[in-house]
Amino acid sequence: MEDDPDDTLALLADLTGATDQKLRDLARTLAARLYLDISRRGPAKPRGVGLLRTQRYRPDGGDLDIDASIDALVASRAEDIVIDPDDLRIRAWSTPGTAICLMVDRSGSMTGRPLATAAVAAAAVAWRSPDDYSVLSFGKDVIAAKSQDAPKSNERVIDSVLALRGFGTTDVAGALTAAADQLSRSRAGRKVAILLSDCRATVPGDIVGAASRLDELVIIAP
């Protein structure tokens, strides 16, 4: 692993499709754990433009919002009782949540390094935005390995990606449209679509029009 991590991950990805049932199951279990472990190296730092918002009180969370807390303060003083912290409000900076949709092109050769790359990407997305993400695979049609609003363990998501095998045509417009539909289910302040593909579409479609529906689109050509 230390000498050539890329080859090791590629070999492990290939073993998940082994004909021997025990070897295949062992490889999938190990691969899911390893890819998730790799993706967790380093903290998942929130990103985006912070906004000053009124929030519930928490110790050292921010400055007391007098306007939003005035009723509770007056009532506490009038009744000569200790104020309930839950009735107080503060002003503090907050960063909007991020929703992510990962699109994996399965139309080409989905073995070895391409398959390992897809699995690591899915693991990284799951680690970065665990409560609000989706993973789509596409060729002629689009299949959801995980939908935006459906809970699914990270291990099962990785296993679904590792089960992908390359075949068929490439409907890039269809994938982008499906990603926009998935992200529309989220209330996050930031919505990012990640396209893992060489973008050589072989199915007719309005790619530019589909892409224009997305707030942010990141293209990674493996």
Side-chain angles (χ1 to χ4, degrees):
M1 183 70 179
E2 293 182 358
D3 295 336
D4 198 333
D6 289 341
D7 281 347
T8 301
L9 293 176
L11 175 60
L12 185 58
D14 279 339
L15 289 176
T16 62
T19 55
D20 184 275
Q21 180 69 42
K22 291 184 178 180
L23 178 59
R24 182 168 66 249
D25 291 344
L26 179 61
R28 284 190 172 184
T29 300
L30 178 59
R33 293 176 181 174
L34 180 59
Y35 293 143
L36 286 169
D37 180 66
I38 290 173
S39 71
R40 290 169 180 161
R41 295 180 182 178
K45 298 179 180 179
R47 298 179 60 186
V49 179
L51 298 175
L52 194 60
R53 301 178 185 273
T54 297
Q55 305 175 25
R56 287 185 176 276
Y57 171 82
R58 62 183 187 277
D60 301 323
D63 297 327
L64 182 66
D65 188 334
I66 299 297
D67 291 337
S69 305
I70 190 65
D71 290 343
L73 293 170
V74 170
S76 174
R77 180 66 178 271
E79 299 175 18
D80 194 25
I81 58 175
V82 177
I83 192 169
D84 186 344
D86 288 339
D87 293 331
L88 297 176
R89 296 295 181 267
I90 60 173
R91 294 286 286 175
W93 291 97
S94 66
T95 303
T98 300
I100 301 176
C101 177
L102 174 67
M103 296 162 280
V104 178
D105 184 348
R106 71 172 191 277
S107 62
S109 175
M110 188 52 72
T111 58
R113 292 197 179 194
L115 184 58
T117 299
V120 172
V125 167
W127 173 238
R128 172 63 181 82
S129 189
D131 299 322
D132 199 347
Y133 78 98
S134 55
V135 177
L136 307 176
S137 66
F138 70 97
K140 180 181 179 180
D141 51 8
V142 182
I143 298 174
K146 181 191 177 300
S147 297
Q148 202 78 30
D149 52 358
K152 189 174 183 179
S153 71
N154 294 343
E155 289 78 8
R156 289 182 59 202
V157 174
I158 304 305
D159 189 61
S160 296
V161 172
L162 289 171
L164 296 176
R165 291 297 179 265
F167 62 90
T169 52
T170 309
D171 187 0
V172 176
L176 295 173
T177 299
D181 291 340
Q182 289 287 336
L183 291 171
S184 69
R185 305 175 188 178
S186 172
R187 295 184 177 181
R190 185 184 183 200
K191 301 179 181 181
V192 183
I194 302 174
L195 177 59
L196 194 62
S197 171
D198 59 10
C199 296
R200 296 177 181 175
T202 57
V203 175
D206 184 2
I207 296 177
V208 175
S212 66
R213 293 182 56 195
L214 299 167
D215 294 344
E216 293 185 49
L217 175 60
V218 178
I219 300 175
I220 302 175

